[in-house]
Amino acid sequence: MTQHDSPALPAHRPGASTQGTADPSPSRTTRPWMPALLYTLGFLTLYLLAICTPWGQRAENALFGLGEQGSEDAWIYPLSGSAYGSTPLPPLELSAKPTLMVGLAVIVVLTLVRRCWWPGCAALGVVIVTTGGKEVLKSTLPRPDLVGAPENLLDQGFPSGHTAIPAALTLAAVLVVSPRIRPYIATAGVLWLACIAAASATMGGHRPSEVLGATLLACACYGLATWLLPPAAAPGATRSPRALPVITLTLALAIALASGARSDTLTRSLVSGATGFICAALVWYAAVGRPAHTARRTRPARG
């Protein structure tokens, strides 16, 4: 009689998973507080390097010496509200407070309509803490004169209020809108921010460090808000069309370069445009580029 070897079968172990496809234990857990910490450290580092060092002050002061003084040579000057009788592009000049009030009202309405109470409170907190915090920081953070700068260069405050408004409103909006339209709201917001940030830097109202500082402050507040939200209410990873990030950032770069352009100096134009683009990229990554809360990945179970 011939003995036939039976094929080896996996031994059944009591308590073993019948699915065999995933291990319930997470292989990697992100730290949800890390983005808020990184944005805060970036804000403090920028302040220390650009405001509290002689070479940081010289670098930014030198930008104001390029070309003519004033904002008339900026391409965006007709839309800035600086010209007599012109209508400012929100939130420049006197349109800052009305823009902020309208933005807060829209957030309240969206919260009531969608009944997203926790995200709505977080969105209001992002705007209030960002805009209120920049007022406190502008009056409390010292700006030492380490290089003997002209008096007109000592008046600006760190961070920029005009930049803080579109950055905070954009990040607040992504908390209260539907996940399906969240990437498109973020796109509109970062394009708006790219324009305002570059314009603020090129027209002499703010230094590049002040514009970047306002954006980092808004991102830090957003990171803190999403960390404090209950897991069920926090926005998860946002799925957007594959080409949307490239399209958004390309348009943001073009808008920032156009908004930062001046007729009298190429260097200052490029620096202002780069500043606006970096602000847009920071807010895009904060709003769309990462999950807001703990991400768990599963791994195949070992047989």
Side-chain angles (χ1 to χ4, degrees):
M1 183 175 65
T2 305
Q3 182 178 2
H4 297 280
D5 294 332
S6 60
L9 297 175
H12 175 74
R13 294 188 297 271
S17 173
T18 57
Q19 307 245 343
T21 57
D23 188 349
S25 61
S27 62
R28 184 180 67 86
T29 302
T30 61
R31 298 176 176 84
W33 46 263
M34 185 62 72
L37 176 62
L38 291 178
Y39 289 127
T40 302
L41 291 177
F43 178 89
L44 295 174
T45 301
L46 181 66
Y47 169 74
L48 293 174
L49 294 180
I51 308 300
C52 298
T53 62
W55 52 268
Q57 289 190 6
R58 288 193 184 97
E60 290 200 301
N61 290 345
L63 289 174
F64 289 87
L66 299 176
E68 299 293 332
Q69 297 296 322
S71 56
E72 291 81 1
D73 289 296
W75 290 9
I76 202 170
Y77 178 76
L79 300 176
S80 67
S82 299
Y84 179 76
S86 63
T87 301
L89 180 68
L92 297 178
E93 293 295 333
L94 297 179
S95 66
K97 289 184 179 180
T99 302
L100 180 60
M101 293 299 103
V102 170
L104 288 172
V106 171
I107 292 171
V108 170
V109 170
L110 288 173
T111 301
L112 295 175
V113 170
R114 301 194 66 240
R115 297 184 179 182
C116 50
W117 311 122
W118 281 112
C121 292
L124 291 174
V126 168
V127 178
I128 293 172
V129 175
T130 299
T131 56
K134 64 90 181 173
E135 292 293 341
V136 174
L137 292 172
K138 285 176 69 172
S139 60
T140 57
L141 288 178
R143 179 187 287 277
D145 184 12
L146 304 178
V147 296
E151 185 177 357
N152 64 310
L153 297 184
L154 301 176
D155 295 335
Q156 292 100 344
F158 181 91
S160 164
H162 291 105
T163 306
I165 292 175
L169 289 177
T170 298
L171 292 169
V174 301
L175 287 171
V176 294
V177 299
S178 169
R180 291 178 297 176
I181 66 172
R182 185 178 298 149
Y184 305 102
I185 295 298
T187 294
V190 300
L191 296 183
W192 179 32
L193 174 62
C195 176
I196 300 302
S200 298
T202 199
M203 294 183 62
H206 287 285
R207 304 164 186 261
S209 62
E210 295 167 353
V211 173
L212 290 170
T215 303
L216 288 169
L217 176 62
C219 290
C221 292
Y222 176 81
L224 179 63
T226 54
W227 175 36
L228 295 177
L229 276 174
T238 302
R239 292 185 178 182
S240 60
R242 185 172 300 179
L244 185 61
V246 176
I247 295 173
T248 299
L249 294 179
T250 301
L251 289 175
L253 178 60
I255 291 174
L257 290 174
S259 301
R262 295 179 62 94
S263 302
D264 54 350
T265 166
L266 178 61
T267 301
R268 187 168 169 183
S269 300
L270 293 177
V271 171
S272 300
T275 300
F277 173 73
I278 294 173
C279 291
L282 286 171
V283 169
W284 173 264
Y285 176 75
V288 180
R290 62 173 181 84
H293 252 263
T294 303
R296 296 180 179 271
R297 292 182 181 179
T298 57
R299 57 187 175 188
R302 296 179 180 178

